[in-house]
Amino acid sequence: MQAAEAAGMIAAALARRNVVVIVATCTVEYDGRARSRLGEGDRVIIVKSDGTVLVHRPYGSLPVNYQPEGSAVSVRAEGDTLVITAVRPRPSERLTIRVRRIAHLVVAELRDDAEFELWGSEDELRDAIARNPELLLGERLKPVEVEAKLGRVGFADLLMVDEAGNYVVVEVKREEAGVDAVFQLKRYVGYVQRALGGRVRGILAAPSITRRALALLSKEGLEFRRIDPKAAVKAKSGLLGFIGGDEEQSGA
Amino acid sequence: MQAAEAAGMIAAALARRNVVVIVATCTVEYDGRARSRLGEGDRVIIVKSDGTVLVHRPYGSLPVNYQPEGSAVSVRAEGDTLVITAVRPRPSERLTIRVRRIAHLVVAELRDDAEFELWGSEDELRDAIARNPELLLGERLKPVEVEAKLGRVGFADLLMVDEAGNYVVVEVKREEAGVDAVFQLKRYVGYVQRALGGRVRGILAAPSITRRALALLSKEGLEFRRIDPKAAVKAKSGLLGFIGGDEEQSGA
DNA sequence: GCGTGTATATCGCCG
DNA sequence: CGGCGATGTACACGC
């Protein structure tokens, strides 16, 4: 296929808000936040009508080069070469794809209004703990605030009060907690101590914790509570079940 | 196209280590670290021979669902439906794509041995500073260690010694530094002070710094040095130029 | 494989 | 739009 003809097809497709998929031999250059150059090779190129451009090599899950949503995409022929450029102003960056040979050119109008549902995020885990601290933390705690702003230090996932009346800062991690999570919790506990006074406890709630993080946690007088994310989701489903939440299949 | 026929083509293509691109109406389910469900809609599906699977909606730069390199991909027909599953053991997770209608099916053998070159990463910036601290930090510093392991606290980008003989911890950010970078630097300086004693300085080297981070930095007695990433890259090119580095075009 | 940190991270939320 | 934290983050490197 002639480069000029391809350029016309692609421009028209994008104008109709269609998606373009190209399998082609190309080179790629990027200049912006950093700078990169990729020599000639065969790749899959996706251009979406929202300005997203992706260049995929035959291996790896991440695109080797890309330009996110909102880029201005233009297509032109330079002799036998098809040149696709995607530019965005802030941050100022430019992606240039030079296509020598097109193996496949697919234009498609995609209709996709389906909702994407995700369970098991950190937000869900946090809310589940707030609703049922006894089940998930093994202790009767009274929620004071979710995403409590702690001055310039940051946000505590949960601020609660224990049965003795002490403030308890809870830092939730959806996956294994590392040293960073401990430092984060330490900062928050320190802030609450200075701001509200009295004894302040810190709980790190996560499915697991690295050895180093646990050692550091103990040294700092902070506590770890093992959380099962599945249990948390179930706890939520259980609650919602009574007020009309969707029934979840519990299959293996 | 019949689902069974498509399944055969795809399986054969993957066996030949080809890449498969499908534009299709499908539903997607994921179960693993979290759990997700995506109703019926039109998407672009990429299956690479290394086990990478990507599902792209018509908008957005990230795949709505995916499975990274190393997944076991299997394809089968269930009546009129083509079912693609990608499973990996650790972490245990499974992606299931159910294809109702195939608009395009592309199989391609991609040859791509080109090198990907990237300039302006944080590693490059760090090494450039280590090689030329006077030019980039405006001060005569002697490098002691790159990526210096600081016990359980983490790694300092650079550990150096100033002309007065004080240790200097340098934290490098290739973009604007936020409060987190300051806390990180504070931790490192504290550790070096305890471990090696004496006065220990901390320098945050970045193109810019947020207002909050600067306030915190000053309060902690730490220092900020503005770094121009382009200058750092140039410093490197300059050095390499003499020993045979590639000539870079300086076009606008 | 675990632990740690970067990324042209991207994305969403909130002031 | 800046600032900040989460992500099914993925990925590379060191131990």
Side-chain angles (χ1 to χ4, degrees), chain A:
Chain A
M1 187 186 304
Q2 300 284 329
E5 187 190 348
M9 282 184 62
I10 294 168
L14 294 176
R16 289 195 309 271
R17 305 201 63 72
N18 287 6
V19 167
V20 178
V21 180
I22 311 166
V23 178
T25 306
C26 62
T27 63
V28 188
E29 276 175 78
Y30 162 76
D31 195 356
R33 286 168 289 175
R35 197 154 174 241
S36 78
R37 211 180 66 108
L38 177 63
E40 193 159 275
D42 301 337
R43 284 115 202 182
V44 177
I45 304 163
I46 298 179
V47 185
K48 303 187 184 185
S49 58
D50 66 358
T52 297
V53 179
L54 305 166
V55 181
H56 273 275
R57 306 190 83 168
Y59 45 84
S61 58
L62 293 183
V64 62
N65 280 111
Y66 59 92
Q67 196 73 296
E69 184 174 3
S71 306
V73 179
S74 60
V75 188
R76 68 180 191 280
E78 278 186 8
D80 292 342
T81 303
L82 171 71
V83 182
I84 303 169
T85 54
V87 181
R88 68 171 179 161
R90 217 166 5 264
S92 169
E93 48 189 359
R94 164 184 299 265
L95 180 70
T96 308
I97 307 171
R98 289 195 168 76
V99 177
R100 301 280 186 201
R101 194 185 62 86
I102 296 176
H104 302 275
L105 171 56
V106 174
V107 171
E109 180 181 356
L110 302 190
R111 297 186 185 199
D112 185 358
D113 301 316
E115 197 192 347
F116 179 67
E117 296 173 279
L118 178 71
W119 303 272
S121 67
E122 180 170 307
D123 284 3
E124 269 206 351
L125 200 53
R126 179 200 62 200
D127 294 346
I129 293 171
R131 272 193 305 269
N132 203 337
E134 188 165 5
L135 176 66
L136 296 169
L137 296 181
E139 188 178 349
R140 223 179 257 279
L141 295 168
K142 208 175 86 139
V144 175
E145 200 177 347
V146 177
E147 284 295 307
K149 183 168 176 22
L150 304 182
R152 61 188 56 187
V153 171
F155 292 80
D157 287 332
L158 288 170
L159 182 60
M160 308 178 102
V161 174
D162 70 11
E163 291 185 286
N166 302 308
Y167 280 107
V168 182
V169 178
V170 182
E171 177 64 27
V172 181
K173 290 292 165 197
R174 206 183 54 72
E175 287 190 272
E176 183 163 71
V179 287
D180 246 28
V182 179
F183 282 115
Q184 216 177 340
L185 180 58
K186 181 171 178 282
R187 258 154 59 191
Y188 297 163
V189 168
Y191 179 90
V192 174
Q193 211 144 39
R194 284 191 304 276
L196 302 176
R199 181 166 125 73
V200 178
R201 295 168 53 200
I203 294 179
L204 184 52
S208 61
I209 184 169
T210 67
R211 178 189 294 270
R212 251 185 235 293
L214 183 58
L216 185 62
L217 193 81
S218 305
K219 197 170 78 63
E220 296 292 342
L222 304 170
E223 308 163 44
F224 174 67
R225 291 285 186 286
R226 192 179 177 284
I227 292 289
D228 178 11
K230 305 269 178 191
V233 173
K234 256 169 101 175
K236 183 199 171 188
S237 304
L239 282 175
L240 287 182
F242 289 103
I243 57 170
D246 285 352
E247 199 66 11
E248 295 301 326
Q249 60 186 5
S250 62

Side-chain angles (χ1 to χ4, degrees), chain B residues 33-50:
Chain B
R33 285 168 290 176
R35 198 154 169 238
S36 77
R37 211 180 65 107
L38 178 62
E40 193 160 277
D42 302 337
R43 284 115 202 181
V44 177
I45 303 164
I46 300 179
V47 184
K48 303 187 184 183
S49 58
D50 65 359

